[in-house]
Amino acid sequence: MLTAACTGIENAVDLSPKFPAETSGAIENRHPRIREIISGIILLAARAKDPIPLAKVHSILHAMKSHESIFSGLRFSLTGAVCYSRDIDHAINYLTDGGFLEIAGGSAFVRERAHEFENYLSGFLTNYQIQAVHSVSLRFHDRLRREVRDPRDRP
């Protein structure tokens, strides 16, 4: 007798094409793994003895969004001079919960297991995509260090 258990159907994945979900009249066109991509960019930009000031992460990624296509699915809420992204907060929490980052005094410090995250990314991103994430993380790191050294508002 043929059953779902003996054919492995319960382990099958949905291979149908994914269409953008509709939300409140607007089409949402987001990368399905935006949290992992943002996590990879933050983690790859982190340095062992160089903490990431969390207050700068949202504003720097917001400034980079117009120049980096990898951020096309990233959404921000702007209130006055403050910008916020729930996706970025989820990525930071994801890294903290996974033991990759440690938060102390408003800054994120990289932990010993950080190198494992790149292995995780390679499980679903192509080499080209991983190189793109790494490239963006280097630009993020450069902007972050410039902002920390010279915190004046930049246009």
Side-chain angles (χ1 to χ4, degrees):
M1 182 168 167
L2 198 58
T3 65
C6 73
T7 60
I9 291 175
E10 70 277 7
N11 297 328
V13 294
D14 181 16
L15 298 176
S16 62
K18 301 294 182 218
F19 296 100
E22 288 203 41
T23 56
S24 61
I27 293 180
E28 186 176 332
N29 189 14
R30 297 166 51 97
H31 192 285
R33 301 236 184 206
I34 192 74
R35 180 186 67 189
E36 284 84 359
I37 289 170
I38 298 300
S39 298
I41 290 168
I42 291 170
L43 197 60
L44 290 170
R47 303 293 189 262
K49 296 182 182 198
D50 241 355
I52 294 177
L54 294 176
K56 299 284 185 188
V57 173
H58 292 267
S59 60
I60 291 172
L61 291 179
H62 180 263
M64 291 177 70
K65 183 180 180 196
S66 63
H67 305 290
E68 303 288 351
S69 61
I70 203 165
F71 294 137
S72 64
L74 191 57
R75 299 261 159 67
F76 287 91
S77 298
L78 301 174
T79 308
V82 177
C83 60
Y84 169 80
S85 172
R86 185 178 299 161
D87 294 322
I88 294 171
D89 267 1
H90 286 206
I92 292 169
N93 291 334
Y94 180 66
L95 291 171
T96 304
D97 293 345
F100 301 108
L101 285 181
E102 182 178 337
I103 307 297
S107 293
F109 295 87
V110 92
R111 303 214 34 212
E112 306 83 37
R113 296 186 50 222
H115 66 280
E116 294 174 21
F117 196 78
E118 193 167 347
N119 294 338
Y120 168 72
L121 284 178
S122 67
F124 61 87
L125 295 179
T126 65
N127 285 339
Y128 177 78
Q129 291 169 324
I130 290 173
Q131 288 172 353
V133 168
H134 189 263
S135 186
V136 171
S137 76
L138 292 173
R139 288 190 289 278
F140 171 68
H141 179 265
D142 287 342
R143 287 185 80 141
L144 185 65
R145 295 305 152 225
R146 279 185 278 154
E147 287 285 325
V148 169
R149 269 190 266 128
D150 186 10
R152 290 178 287 160
D153 291 335
R154 300 185 184 275

